[in-house]
Amino acid sequence: MILHSLLVCCLILPDARAFSLSALPRTVTSRTSTTSLASSDSAKAALERTASHLERLKSREDIVSSGNANTDHAFEALTREYLQRPANALKGELKKLRQPTKGGKPDLARRLAAYDIAKKTGVSPVGNDNSEVKDWNPAEERKKGDTVVGEALGPIDTFCGLKLSKAASEALGKANFRAPSPIQEAAIPAQVNGESIIVHAETGSGKTLAYLLPITEQLWKDHYAEDDDGYGFIMTPTRELAAQVAGIASVLAPPGTVRMVSHPTNLMTDGLKDRGERENGGRIDDGDGRTMPRLFIGSAKSIMGSLYGDGKMPAPPTTKPEAKYLLANTRWVVMDEVDRLLDTKRGRDPSTTRNKHEKPAAIVTSAVARLTFGRAQVVSVSATVGRTLKRELSRVLGLPPKEFPAVVRGNDSMQEEEFRKANTGGHLGRAVTIPETVKNYIVPVDSSSTGKVLTSAFFVLRELNKQQTRRILLVLTKGSGISTQNTLGALKHFQCKPEPRSLLDVLEADGTDRLIEVHREVSGATGVGEAKGVEKDQGYVLVTGEDSVRGLHLDGLDAVVVVGRAQGPDEYTHIAGRTGRAGRRGSVFNVVSGKEASAVKAWEKMLETEFLEIAIEDIPNQNRE
């Protein structure tokens, strides 16, 4: 009878699985010890978790109901209680209570403690952060995003325990980087130790700096020691993303050590001809007084073409002996957006994949692993990491299927993973989902013709820009079957304001390393984290396809309009991640048919987010909630 009552308590208590049960009365535990259930270690653990939960609830009630005389003491005690729980669990509770979910773990704990006390006693404790969510003001958010809030820091000596060079010290201080993000705190020490890792974190969480900083700081050490110990390759799916990464790397690294590979070229030249800085680019020579590039950044296709050719050239741009020398002396290989660089659809049966062509990133990485005998450090980066990706990465590195590099997530994510493992029988959902700062909307429209879909997309843009001009990215999914050119033509015909432009055309340069400068102009970022600080209120509408948005940062982007259903929840995570970055707010509007709306709605549980269905005319009001 007692056991039955205990089990009923477990069922009716909220979040009972998240707590332990160590404080049951001795009379109860002694009676249950005679049963067969007590002989099971797992059953005992379950009972202990439930008892601990009961005790915590009782303790919390005692604290809250103790009156207003000692409110501050109760607030501190409850805050300590909440700090024992994972940050994502605290965010989940705040979301249910319709409270703000921004801030670090201490802020979340204080907010929940203040809410509990205020609800019971009617008194709000001093120093709490239980303020209401303000209406969204895009101009205000843009102001915060485009300028450094508060006084910029001076030079920073260390970051995640890493002693910084003067260049990195000034860059991070200028960008007002007060503290590392969770993924930086987890990934940088592991990479400094020479480990090959998989960096798994949500978009906008600081993954680029997490893998770049250890490499550029080592380049500075080698620079002062006059040592050229090895080279590095950073491969991305697109050259636009490569330009973004190269722009950051060029700020952090010693001058002349970073080379942007925008097209297949001889990697053993200094690259001045490619940049258009002089008429003739010379071959690297120790006696010419120039610095040899040591970090090559480009699309996987461009880097592979530089080393091996593309089958259309009479010979590879880099001679075979020089290419072999580079690969054999490679120290770092980074694959950014690795799930796009490797074949995650490759089956386990070799006979079914024998005739498949290897992807460029797989060719370069496997060659480095073979020629360096596995000594090169391989860092794989993405917001979506699954079993098939890990298995494919193991194959490329020549490892057994289960011996892939360690997956590194932010501290809060790791705590949440342990929490979910303990309470879901070992089954895990997505460890990385859409940021809490992003609101997701579904706008059902008539999709019987391309013209009607584009008309609806125009109406969405018009509603978004009714009160003030905003920065908007319009993404055309593969399933929509609509081209960028047709979309631009239709929107210009409707006299859409601001005048829409193709994102790739705006980022287009003359095929040289000036692509970095062009990307800085378009994105609004001048270096590591800091923005240009000009034309803050100027809006735009940029149009691009689903495959081109991976990893791109557009500073202060207010909203993303998605035309058609994304290929899947993983791809939607990357699309939605263009806005709401680094704690700023953003919105995503999915312009889809009624049938597609149901499919998108079905992603809610997988993505741990909510899709609100709204009509076009309700967009402004909904967007300010």
Side-chain angles (χ1 to χ4, degrees):
M1 184 66 179
I2 294 173
L3 179 60
H4 174 73
S5 301
L6 286 172
L7 293 175
V8 171
C9 288
C10 293
L11 291 173
I12 63 173
L13 286 173
D15 295 329
R17 296 177 301 172
F19 300 90
S20 54
L21 222 205
S22 59
L24 274 176
R26 292 185 179 179
T27 55
V28 175
T29 54
S30 62
R31 290 176 187 175
T32 56
S33 62
T34 60
T35 66
S36 59
L37 183 61
S39 63
S40 169
D41 291 339
S42 60
K44 286 181 180 179
L47 291 174
E48 289 175 357
R49 286 196 298 271
T50 307
S52 177
H53 185 195
L54 287 169
E55 176 129 353
R56 290 183 182 185
L57 288 176
K58 184 178 182 301
S59 173
R60 189 179 303 164
E61 288 294 326
D62 291 342
I63 292 172
V64 173
S65 60
S66 59
N68 301 343
N70 201 8
T71 304
D72 290 342
H73 172 71
F75 173 67
E76 292 176 4
L78 272 178
T79 300
R80 287 194 296 271
E81 172 72 25
Y82 277 118
L83 281 172
Q84 302 303 314
R85 301 183 61 185
N88 283 351
L90 300 182
K91 284 185 179 181
E93 286 201 20
L94 286 168
K95 191 173 182 180
K96 292 177 184 177
L97 297 172
R98 298 185 179 275
Q99 297 298 307
T101 57
K102 286 186 178 180
K105 190 174 180 180
D107 298 325
L108 305 177
R110 286 194 294 269
R111 201 170 296 143
L112 277 170
Y115 182 89
D116 283 349
I117 292 174
K119 186 175 180 180
K120 288 287 183 180
T121 66
V123 177
S124 181
V126 178
N128 77 82
D129 188 26
N130 193 29
S131 57
E132 293 183 359
V133 181
K134 296 180 180 179
D135 289 344
W136 180 44
N137 186 332
E140 186 65 25
E141 287 295 325
R142 200 152 56 225
K143 182 179 179 181
K144 292 179 181 178
D146 285 350
T147 59
V148 177
V149 179
E151 186 178 354
L153 298 176
I156 300 173
D157 293 331
T158 60
F159 194 79
C160 292
L162 184 63
K163 185 172 176 57
L164 298 179
S165 62
K166 183 180 178 181
S169 173
E170 292 178 351
L172 268 60
K174 186 179 178 181
N176 208 13
F177 279 18
R178 300 184 182 277
S181 67
I183 190 59
Q184 291 165 353
E185 199 169 9
I188 289 177
Q191 195 174 341
V192 169
N193 290 337
E195 300 176 30
S196 290
I197 56 176
I198 301 174
V199 180
H200 186 195
E202 64 188 17
T203 57
S205 59
K207 297 190 296 294
T208 303
L209 189 64
Y211 68 73
L212 268 182
L213 202 56
I215 297 175
T216 56
E217 289 307 294
Q218 185 59 49
L219 292 177
W220 275 109
K221 290 179 183 178
D222 295 344
H223 175 74
Y224 289 124
E226 297 184 354
D227 183 15
D228 292 336
D229 184 19
Y231 305 94
F233 292 101
I234 297 179
M235 294 180 283
T236 66
T238 64
R239 71 171 189 164
E240 289 76 25
L241 178 55
Q244 176 178 298
V245 175
I248 299 173
S250 62
V251 173
L252 298 172
T257 57
V258 174
R259 183 173 181 188
M260 165 74 185
V261 184
S262 57
H263 59 283
T265 186
N266 189 338
L267 299 181
M268 292 300 288
T269 59
D270 58 11
L272 293 179
K273 182 178 180 181
D274 291 334
R275 289 193 292 271
E277 295 180 12
R278 70 178 190 176
E279 187 175 356
N280 296 309
R283 186 169 296 278
I284 295 299
D285 188 338
D286 291 338
D288 65 2
R290 295 193 298 273
T291 303
M292 167 67 179
R294 292 187 55 200
L295 187 59
F296 302 96
I297 304 175
S299 68
K301 187 175 181 180
S302 293
I303 289 178
M304 190 201 75
S306 299
L307 294 167
Y308 296 98
D310 59 3
K312 300 176 183 177
M313 306 175 183
T318 308
T319 65
K320 189 172 181 179
E322 289 174 333
K324 186 175 181 180
Y325 170 81
L326 281 176
L327 293 170
N329 288 275
T330 296
R331 188 170 178 178
W332 309 279
V333 174
V334 178
M335 291 182 282
D336 201 347
E337 303 296 345
V338 63
D339 57 312
R340 284 282 301 277
L341 294 177
L342 299 183
D343 187 2
T344 56
K345 295 186 170 77
R346 185 179 292 271
R348 294 189 182 186
D349 184 2
S351 64
T352 62
T353 58
R354 190 170 296 159
N355 296 325
K356 276 195 172 184
H357 293 292
E358 289 282 8
K359 287 201 169 186
I363 293 173
V364 174
T365 305
S366 60
V368 169
R370 185 177 67 256
L371 293 173
T372 62
F373 300 99
R375 290 192 298 268
Q377 186 178 40
V378 179
V379 179
S380 308
V381 185
S382 183
T384 49
V385 176
R387 287 192 298 268
T388 55
L389 173 61
K390 296 172 188 175
R391 188 167 58 241
E392 174 66 3
L393 185 58
S394 298
R395 186 191 68 82
V396 168
L397 296 177
L399 300 172
K402 294 185 179 180
E403 293 187 12
F404 48 82
V407 179
V408 175
R409 301 189 181 98
N411 293 337
D412 290 343
S413 296
M414 288 190 290
Q415 291 175 5
E416 180 65 8
E417 181 177 7
E418 294 173 0
F419 172 78
R420 286 190 287 175
K421 273 185 179 178
N423 296 287
T424 58
H427 173 71
L428 289 176
R430 282 171 170 76
V432 176
T433 55
I434 297 171
E436 296 276 352
T437 52
V438 177
K439 289 186 176 181
N440 301 274
Y441 300 95
I442 296 174
V443 186
V445 299
D446 183 355
S447 61
S448 57
S449 68
T450 299
K452 289 183 178 180
V453 173
L454 291 177
T455 302
S456 299
F458 163 72
F459 287 146
V460 171
L461 295 174
R462 187 181 65 178
E463 292 296 327
L464 285 172
N465 284 313
K466 251 186 179 179
Q467 298 192 0
Q468 53 189 311
T469 305
R470 297 175 183 169
R471 299 178 179 181
I472 302 171
L473 178 66
L474 190 146
V475 179
L476 302 166
T477 64
K478 285 186 175 181
S480 69
I482 304 175
S483 69
T484 300
Q485 292 305 315
N486 287 344
T487 302
L488 291 172
L491 294 179
K492 289 177 182 178
H493 173 73
F494 295 140
Q495 298 183 348
C496 178
K497 299 295 180 183
E499 183 176 338
R501 296 174 293 169
S502 165
L503 175 63
L504 296 186
D505 286 347
V506 170
L507 288 174
E508 188 69 46
D510 56 4
T512 72
D513 284 1
R514 289 199 179 98
L515 195 70
I516 296 174
E517 303 304 323
V518 175
H519 183 274
R520 284 177 173 170
E521 289 292 325
V522 175
S523 68
T526 58
V528 184
E530 77 269 27
K532 291 173 56 115
V534 296
E535 300 178 344
K536 298 173 189 171
D537 296 323
Q538 182 179 357
Y540 55 66
V541 175
L542 296 176
V543 182
T544 190
E546 187 174 8
D547 289 336
S548 304
V549 299
R550 280 293 190 105
L552 287 181
H553 173 74
L554 299 172
D555 197 76
L557 189 67
D558 295 321
V560 177
V561 178
V562 186
V563 179
R565 182 171 66 90
Q567 294 181 71
D570 285 342
E571 201 63 33
Y572 181 80
T573 299
H574 290 278
I575 295 174
R578 298 313 99 213
T579 185
R581 297 169 70 84
R584 303 184 185 110
R585 295 187 186 182
S587 300
V588 183
F589 298 87
N590 294 275
V591 181
V592 293
S593 66
K595 184 178 179 181
E596 290 175 330
S598 300
V600 173
K601 188 78 173 173
W603 295 344
E604 285 186 330
K605 188 173 181 181
M606 288 183 283
L607 296 178
E608 298 179 16
T609 191
E610 182 181 13
F611 288 89
L612 301 176
E613 190 169 318
I614 58 173
I616 292 176
E617 58 271 16
D618 295 331
I619 285 176
N621 293 330
Q622 290 283 351
N623 204 22
R624 289 195 298 272
E625 286 183 358

